[in-house]
Amino acid sequence: MNSISKVLLLEDNASTRLIVSKALQIKGIEVILTSTLEEARQCFGDNSIKLFLLDVHLPDGMSDELIPQIRRLYPGQTHEHFLNSVCCICI
């Protein structure tokens, strides 16, 4: 069974968002789709999110500014070793 059950995908390009989300869904992963920093922030607090896939360059800023917030909101769950933790990947 897949240990990542829910992913937040932050991607402003609709085609890329669709391709990545479909690939994850085929693997049985639930995907929350967002296209702006603000939409992503509105999903923070959902403790079932285990992976954040973040497009770096967005119309409303740079996604790497979210990483400190994610670390604060998911204390003890974000670290360099991703086993049983929340992972952020900036793409």
Side-chain angles (χ1 to χ4, degrees):
M1 178 159 175
N2 197 330
S3 63
I4 297 176
S5 58
K6 189 183 281 189
V7 171
L8 182 138
L9 174 60
L10 172 55
E11 171 59 64
D12 62 322
N13 181 285
S15 298
T16 303
R17 199 170 49 243
L18 177 66
I19 291 166
V20 173
S21 66
K22 291 296 181 191
L24 293 167
Q25 290 168 345
I26 287 169
K27 295 292 185 181
I29 298 170
E30 183 179 346
V31 182
I32 299 172
L33 300 173
T34 61
S35 60
T36 65
L37 295 173
E38 184 55 35
E39 286 177 1
R41 284 187 187 103
Q42 291 174 9
C43 298
F44 287 178
D46 181 340
N47 291 327
S48 62
I49 298 171
K50 297 299 179 192
L51 177 66
F52 291 83
L53 292 175
L54 310 173
D55 181 7
V56 176
H57 300 282
L58 298 160
D60 58 340
M62 302 287 285
S63 67
D64 59 351
E65 71 185 60
L66 296 176
I67 294 173
Q69 291 177 281
I70 292 168
R71 287 185 174 154
R72 272 194 314 276
L73 290 168
Y74 297 85
Q77 295 181 11
T78 56
H79 51 76
E80 294 174 12
H81 306 285
F82 301 131
L83 185 62
N84 296 320
S85 68
V86 172
C87 177
C88 299
I89 300 174
C90 296
I91 50 175

